[in-house]
């Protein structure tokens, strides 16, 4: 009986040691676990109110990458892709802006000078269009006018041979009609300049008593001279000046055009090539424009004459 009781007590003690924990022991174990978890959290997270160093690892884990270094130096794959796309799509601030091809420059010093009418009764005339070639100009010029000419042709465009050609004569312009003339570079693809021109006037007659003479300087060159009397003008009009044109007829070269004061009654040209015939035209200028011309032609030099 005694032996049996001792055996039962020993068995009870073993069962308690294996599966039963007293309340006090459980509380003590829980406190130890909480303390260990808090210590681990403090060692892996940055201190409150202080930014952890990107170069100094935590003392609790010397071999681990610091939290701040990981967050700064290792962006996510999505962030890296976004950064790469932005760098490709946006040009550098220092890169020059992309611009369209610049147009050829416009002509400068554009003028349109009416040439003298063939007679006081002429219904149409011509105008000399002249301009200066700007630096960098390439390609031929296109000279255009609006309106309709004496042949019934509407707006018209004429091309020069090259960029070096800076003069052109427009013909068959209706007397008393104002035209707009535009000169465009690079075969009409460049920039342009415009002016207006009006030929003829019904307010003045041609200068009277025109006399054209020549002066042969030698066998190679000479000059021509013109003298005239004042024209008749309509009431309320007055002569503002005279336009004198000297044109070589054989080659069709651009004429020389000069404008003189209203008191002028004569003109002498510069040196001209000998053995050619020149047409000299003199017109009065009023507030209505250039009037009809008085004309005369003469040849400079004589191939059969012996010069000293």
């Amino acid at each position: 009986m005694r032996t049996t009781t001792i055996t039962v007590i020993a068995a009870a003690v073993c069962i308690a040691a294996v599966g039963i924990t007293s309340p006090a022991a459980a509380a003590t174990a829980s406190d130890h676990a909480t303390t260990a978890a808090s210590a681990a959290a403090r060692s892996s997270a940055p201190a409150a109110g202080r930014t952890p160093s990107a170069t100094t690892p935590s003392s609790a884990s010397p071999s681990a990458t610091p939290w701040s270094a990981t967050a700064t130096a290792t962006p996510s794959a999505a962030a890296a892709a976004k950064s790469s796309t932005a760098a490709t799509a946006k040009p550098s601030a220092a890169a020059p802006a992309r611009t369209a091809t610049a147009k050829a420059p416009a002509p400068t010093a554009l003028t349109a000078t009416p040439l003298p009418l063939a007679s006081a009764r002429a219904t149409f005339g011509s105008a000399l269009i002249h301009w200066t070639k700007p630096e960098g100009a390439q390609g031929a010029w296109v000279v255009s006018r609006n309106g309709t000419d004496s042949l019934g042709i509407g707006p018209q465009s004429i091309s020069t041979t090259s960029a070096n050609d800076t003069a052109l004569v427009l013909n068959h312009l209706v007397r008393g009609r104002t035209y707009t003339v535009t000169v465009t570079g690079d075969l009409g693809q460049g920039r342009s300049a415009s002016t207006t021109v009006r030929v003829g006037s019904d307010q003045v007659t041609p200068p009277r008593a025109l006399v054209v003479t020549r002066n042969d300087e030698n066998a190679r060159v000479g000059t021509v001279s013109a003298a005239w009397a004042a024209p008749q003008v309509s009431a309320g009009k007055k002569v503002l000046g005279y336009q004198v044109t000297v044109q070589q007829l054989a080659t069709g070269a651009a004429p020389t055009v000069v404008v003189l004061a209203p008191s002028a009654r004569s003109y002498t040209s510069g040196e001209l090539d000998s053995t050619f015939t020149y047409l000299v035209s003199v017109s009065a200028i009023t507030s209505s424009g250039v009037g009809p011309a008085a004309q005369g032609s003469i040849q400079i030099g004589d191939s059969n004459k012996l010069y000293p």
Side-chain angles (χ1 to χ4, degrees), residues 142-170:
V142 174
V143 181
S144 305
R145 63 147 178 84
N146 66 348
T148 303
D149 64 14
S150 62
L151 301 177
I153 299 175
Q156 185 180 32
S157 296
I158 304 174
S159 297
T160 65
T161 303
S162 71
N164 294 322
D165 298 327
T166 58
L168 185 145
V169 175
L170 293 180

Side-chain angles (χ1 to χ4, degrees), residues 32 39 64 80 87 91 98 101 108 116 125 127 134 139 151 167 189 192 207 215 217 223 234 237 240 244 286 289:
H32 284 300
R98 192 173 184 181
T101 303
T108 59
L151 301 177
Q189 302 302 310
S192 62
N215 176 28
E217 296 182 6
T223 63
S234 302
K237 295 289 182 179
L240 302 177
V244 180
T286 68

Side-chain angles (χ1 to χ4, degrees), residues 118-283:
S119 70
R121 295 183 179 181
T123 59
F124 62 90
S126 303
L128 172 65
I129 314 303
H130 186 273
W131 61 94
T132 300
K133 175 187 174 182
E135 184 179 355
Q138 296 181 353
W141 302 93
V142 174
V143 181
S144 305
R145 63 147 178 84
N146 66 348
T148 303
D149 64 14
S150 62
L151 301 177
I153 299 175
Q156 185 180 32
S157 296
I158 304 174
S159 297
T160 65
T161 303
S162 71
N164 294 322
D165 298 327
T166 58
L168 185 145
V169 175
L170 293 180
N171 297 308
H172 300 286
L173 303 180
V174 176
R175 180 174 183 167
R177 180 174 296 173
T178 299
Y179 293 87
T180 297
V181 179
T182 302
V183 180
T184 309
D186 198 13
L187 279 176
Q189 302 302 310
R191 301 183 184 278
S192 62
S194 298
T195 188
T196 59
V197 64
R198 181 174 181 266
V199 300
S201 170
D202 296 324
Q203 307 299 322
V204 62
T205 67
R208 295 173 295 171
L210 176 65
V211 177
V212 178
T213 57
R214 80 185 195 192
N215 176 28
D216 299 338
E217 296 182 6
N218 52 51
R220 295 183 302 277
V221 297
T223 63
V224 296
S225 298
W228 62 89
Q232 294 179 345
V233 295
S234 302
K237 295 289 182 179
K238 65 179 181 178
V239 175
L240 302 177
Y242 291 94
Q243 177 177 284
V244 180
T245 303
V246 179
Q247 183 170 16
Q248 186 185 94
L249 297 180
T251 62
T256 298
V257 181
V258 296
V259 175
L260 306 176
S263 60
R265 294 294 182 271
S266 64
Y267 168 77
T268 298
S269 73
E271 289 187 343
L272 302 172
D273 292 336
S274 184
T275 72
F276 290 103
T277 298
Y278 294 86
L279 176 67
V280 180
S281 304
V282 182
S283 301

